[in-house]
Amino acid sequence: MQTNYRQFGLLLLLLISIGCSKTITSAPDVTFTTITGQKIALKDLRGKPVIVTFWATDCPSCIEEIPDLIDLYTQYHASGLEMIAVAMYYDPPNHVVDMTKAKQLPYNVALDLNSEHAQAFGGVMFTPSTFLIAPDGSVVKKEIGLFDLAKMKTNIESLLKG
């Protein structure tokens, strides 16, 4: 019986937290700094679909979805898809760099040292949190937790077709 109360309490806390995060309908005007020092202004990517995913090196679900992100990038980058993986503020930069190399991530990886990007995207608190941004800058999909690869491919293909 006590376990049921604990599970209910955790579920309630999760729902409250999700309810407190702001819903965004258009991509914020942010500039990411990648782990290689490159500056990427999100507004400069207008005209292309963009995936922005918030992750952490100590997040099992984040690690689990890396092959799917690599698959999406490999399949759709040549057609215009851009991707930025944003490491959460609490993730040590050396861990992010090490994992980026170990997993051979082909897409851009940025740090969010002051949580400014997480705040700009509506107060991201959970990882992974993935945003699909349409070429016009509107946020067309937000996934907290693992995303469905087939649905994400369908969404990307529809954005690429225009």
Side-chain angles (χ1 to χ4, degrees), residues 117-128:
H117 301 311
Q119 291 307 311
F121 274 84
V124 173
M125 296 184 291
F126 301 105
T127 57

Side-chain angles (χ1 to χ4, degrees), residues 6-162:
R6 180 174 288 143
Q7 289 173 344
F8 177 74
L10 289 172
L11 179 61
L12 184 61
L13 180 62
L14 176 65
L15 292 173
I16 290 170
S17 297
I18 291 170
C20 290
S21 70
K22 294 177 255 169
T23 301
I24 63 169
T25 55
S26 62
D29 184 12
V30 295
T31 300
F32 301 100
T33 302
T34 70
I35 58 174
T36 61
Q38 179 185 1
K39 302 268 189 214
I40 301 172
L42 199 50
K43 66 182 178 185
D44 291 345
L45 300 179
R46 288 275 169 99
K48 300 178 178 188
V50 179
I51 290 177
V52 176
T53 185
F54 288 84
W55 70 296
T57 58
D58 65 351
C59 162
S61 296
C62 299
I63 308 308
E64 183 181 337
E65 83 175 4
I66 285 175
D68 289 343
L69 290 167
I70 291 172
D71 179 42
L72 291 172
Y73 186 83
T74 302
Q75 187 170 353
Y76 298 109
H77 180 68
S79 299
L81 176 70
E82 294 294 339
M83 189 179 299
I84 303 166
V86 183
M88 296 295 282
Y89 71 93
Y90 54 79
D91 212 350
N94 61 318
H95 291 189
V96 176
V97 171
D98 290 347
M99 183 164 291
T100 299
K101 289 178 183 175
K103 298 287 187 182
Q104 299 180 336
L105 302 183
Y107 44 84
N108 291 304
V109 177
L111 301 173
D112 191 12
L113 299 175
N114 299 313
S115 194
E116 64 188 83
H117 301 311
Q119 291 307 311
F121 274 84
V124 173
M125 296 184 291
F126 301 105
T127 57
S129 287
T130 304
F131 297 81
L132 178 59
I133 302 166
D136 67 1
S138 62
V139 175
V140 294
K141 189 166 195 58
K142 175 185 177 183
E143 293 284 340
I144 298 173
L146 294 171
F147 60 82
D148 180 291
L149 182 60
K151 287 181 183 175
M152 187 65 81
K153 284 183 176 188
T154 300
N155 289 323
I156 291 168
E157 288 169 6
S158 74
L159 292 175
L160 288 170
K161 287 177 186 172

